Amino acid sequence: MSWKTLDDLDLAGKVVLTRVDINVPIEDGRVTDATRIERIVPTVRDILKAGGKPVLLAHFDRPKGKVVPGMSLKPLQPVLQEHLGVPVHFAEDCIGGPAKAAVAALPEGAVLLLENTRFHAEEEKNDPAFAASLAALGDVYVNDAFSAAHRAHGSIEGIAHLMPSAAGRLMQAELTALESALGTPDRPVVAVVGGAKVSTKLDLLGNLVRKVEYLVIGGGMANTFLAAKGISVGKSLAEHDLADTAREILKKADEAGCEILLPLDIVVAREFKANAPNEVLDVNDCPDDAMILDAGPITAERIAEVFANCRTLIWNGPLGAFEIEPFDTATVAAARKAAELTRDGRLTSVAGGGDTVSALNQAGVADDFSYISTAGGAFLEWMEGKTLPGVAALGK
Ligand code: AMP
């Protein structure tokens, strides 16, 4: 699909309603991770450069349609000012009198932040009148909140239909990367899906087996598949009730010509803790009293071989219990191989999801991937093949 970007809009002298995701973690009044704020800087700068007046629309936390003072966006005003390097004004409501007055008073070169859109219940209901009140504040709409694009909310979906709309730079980068990984990728494509449970990633697996040549299944999820194939997994985390579903996915993959890679060898331990005594065994030899916590070296080698034969990699979820050493070994080895191939220009690598980003950071390779999405739910829904309402609304 195609979408408009900032370059398609005339922004000079326009009030640019800009949806951003600045839902940053705050502890004791201090922002502990400003990544989301840093990522909107190019969009705001480009709007200012083009002579537009950026008016930021954003949600914060889950106030459930009520004014909750502890969930105000006001504390972010100085933080935004520091990162953007221009004056940032604040309006105590995102619609109505206070918002209109603040927009009217906004000088050129400055940015306006409007109060939490979720203080209005109509935001999450995608109420048309609410979207119209937002739209009435500006001339054009820019969505830079890919991580919220799976929500059909007023400031994300409804508003986009009411005025000229486009993707901001961050949204554009996310969409371009995801399109290159799953839309029109260089083939062969390998997907890595790991993590704790199959039940949270059923749609994902169902979609991927139709789209990729290789699917590496790792982590606790792999145990469910091994068990479904009649392999004993001892005390491992596994969803035995999903055996039929797992077998169906394997069958679908087979029909679609997608090769599934499950662990060939395993790292087992008796306790789920760092440096628990462990051993590497053949996948068929898991003792009854042990847990599989990582894939073994033969599996890691096979994954590396597959990566080397592919042109595109899309990755969500760790291959083992990566938070506790040494059970991060297979994840780190696979991540390093992907990074090396990417650096050599042989692989386009796209990864996303909270745990995946932490695992790649742990492996020290996050900067070497072609693209890392920090969006959790939206990234997964994209991988599931779902249409994201916030993206569809920007369609050309
Ligand atoms: P998810 O949120 O679904 O991506 O799952 C990530 C979590 O799965 C991490 O906390 C990992 O520690 C956990 N995990 C991965 N492999 C295993 C395993 N073999 N046994 C238990 N937990 C695992």
Side-chain angles (χ1 to χ4, degrees), residues 23 33 62 67 102 109 178 180 194 220 342:
N23 199 4
D33 179 355
R62 296 194 170 161
V67 176
L178 295 180
S180 74
T342 307

Side-chain angles (χ1 to χ4, degrees), residues 232-248:
S232 167
V233 296
K235 291 200 168 145
S236 303
L237 171 70
E239 294 168 285
H240 294 281
D241 53 326
L242 286 179
D244 284 342
T245 312
R247 279 190 290 266
E248 255 169 56

Side-chain angles (χ1 to χ4, degrees), residues 71-151:
M71 295 181 192
S72 169
L73 280 168
K74 184 128 197 340
L76 292 186
Q77 183 185 2
V79 188
L80 279 167
Q81 195 154 290
E82 184 191 321
H83 285 270
L84 292 168
V86 296
V88 175
H89 299 214
F90 181 75
E92 260 141 44
D93 198 349
C94 65
I95 53 169
K100 277 186 200 156
V103 171
L106 186 66
E108 217 168 282
V111 172
L112 172 63
L113 171 65
L114 301 179
E115 184 56 290
N116 195 341
T117 52
R118 288 192 187 164
F119 279 180
H120 294 268
E122 294 81 3
E123 159 76 332
E124 293 185 57
K125 290 184 190 143
N126 203 5
D127 177 76
F130 176 73
S133 311
L134 290 174
L137 296 171
D139 304 304
V140 296
Y141 172 73
V142 168
N143 190 345
D144 211 27
F146 175 80
S147 48
H150 56 316
R151 314 250 184 239

Side-chain angles (χ1 to χ4, degrees), residues 363-380:
V365 299
D367 290 342
D368 290 320
F369 269 58
S370 312
Y371 193 78
I372 303 240
S373 171
T374 50
F379 182 81
L380 276 183

Side-chain angles (χ1 to χ4, degrees), residues 194-198 200-201 218-223 236-238 267 272 291-295 316-324 327 331 353-356 380:
K197 292 184 167 178
V198 173
T200 56
K201 295 188 184 172
M221 293 181 41
N223 302 335
S236 303
L237 171 70
V267 183
F272 190 91
M291 287 176 281
I292 304 171
L293 292 183
D294 198 9
N316 175 266
L319 297 175
F322 77 99
E323 303 97 328
I324 49 171
F327 308 107
T331 304
D355 276 324
T356 314
L380 276 183

Side-chain angles (χ1 to χ4, degrees), residues 192 300-301 303-308 313 315 317-319 322 325-326 328-347 349 351 356-370 372:
V192 173
E301 192 49 41
I303 293 172
E305 256 172 47
V306 170
F307 283 7
L313 161 69
W315 186 334
L319 297 175
F322 77 99
E325 279 186 4
D328 59 345
T329 308
T331 304
V332 168
R336 293 205 172 136
K337 181 70 187 177
E340 176 197 318
L341 293 164
T342 307
R343 275 196 306 268
D344 291 349
R346 293 169 57 192
L347 188 72
S349 50
T356 314
V357 179
S358 323
L360 297 181
N361 278 326
Q362 198 164 310
V365 299
D367 290 342
D368 290 320
F369 269 58
S370 312
I372 303 240

